[in-house]
Each structure stands twice: as C-alpha cells, then as structure tokens.
Amino acid sequence: MQVDVYAKNIELTPAIRSFVEEKVGSLAKFLKGGAETLEARVEVGKPSRHHKSGQVFYAEVNLKIGKKLLRAQAEHFDLNAAIDQARNELERQIKKFKDKMTDRARREK
C-alpha cells in the first residue's frame, strides 16, 4: 500500500508520519487481494493557524481501491485520536464495500 502523508498548518514530524503510515497501512489486511494497488492520501493538520480552541486537529484520508474512492474525515482535540477515528471510519467503509461486492457475486451465480 502506498501512503502519502501531507500536513497543513503544522510541521510533519517523523513521529507523525510513522504513526499515520502504521495506522493507515494496517487497513491493507482487509483488502488482501490487491494490496499493492492501493493508494492512500492522508492529510493531517489544523484548519487554520489561529485556531486555538475546540476540535483543533483533523485527519482526512482518501483511499483509492482501483476506481473506487473511500473517504474519511475526523476532527479531535488530539491529532492521534483524529487519525484513529478516520482509520476506524475507513475500516467500516471497507467492510461494507467488501460485503456489497460479495453479495453482488453471490447474486450473479
């Protein structure tokens, strides 16, 4: 799985990059067949430089599976929690997508 990490209004440290690659890279186990053709674009950061209170950090993940695009976005006080929430949302979407494909294959038999 190819994971591209981008930062907006924050500095992208090696710790953040490795955390994102670990979390998003773990989604490949749900898509065993074409894991090498998966592309994930992850954007982490703050909505603006002056944002001080509220849900300050966000994580946005676009996962491209062939021609299908799955997208998840999460906001939280903590950057790692936002990344976790986006990953969990993508996991849910992947399972739904796989169930839909399995049902379609069964109907065609």
Side-chain angles (χ1 to χ4, degrees):
M1 173 185 279
Q2 177 185 348
V3 180
D4 298 327
V5 184
Y6 301 94
K8 183 177 177 186
N9 296 324
I10 63 170
E11 181 183 344
L12 185 61
T13 63
I16 294 172
R17 179 181 293 278
S18 66
F19 184 77
V20 169
E21 288 175 350
E22 175 188 332
K23 289 294 182 178
V24 176
S26 68
L27 292 171
K29 67 183 174 189
F30 296 108
L31 299 162
K32 293 190 188 234
E36 60 278 347
T37 61
L38 297 176
E39 293 179 37
R41 184 184 188 284
V42 183
E43 184 175 311
V44 295
K46 293 182 180 181
S48 64
R49 292 193 186 274
H50 68 275
H51 202 85
K52 303 284 188 215
S53 63
Q55 298 199 3
V56 178
F57 294 102
Y58 74 93
E60 181 179 303
V61 183
N62 293 320
L63 181 65
K64 196 170 186 180
I65 307 169
K67 294 182 180 180
K68 181 75 174 172
L69 178 70
L70 301 178
R71 183 175 186 282
Q73 183 175 1
E75 294 181 353
H76 201 272
F77 300 107
D78 181 34
L79 180 60
N80 291 343
I83 294 167
D84 283 338
Q85 287 178 355
R87 184 227 178 261
N88 292 339
E89 173 64 21
L90 264 180
E91 181 181 339
R92 186 190 65 76
Q93 289 181 21
I94 289 170
K95 287 179 181 179
K96 183 177 177 181
F97 174 69
K98 283 179 62 175
D99 286 346
K100 191 179 287 188
M101 299 313 280
T102 303
D103 289 346
R104 185 175 294 157
R106 286 181 183 160
R107 273 186 293 198
E108 291 175 357
K109 286 186 179 181

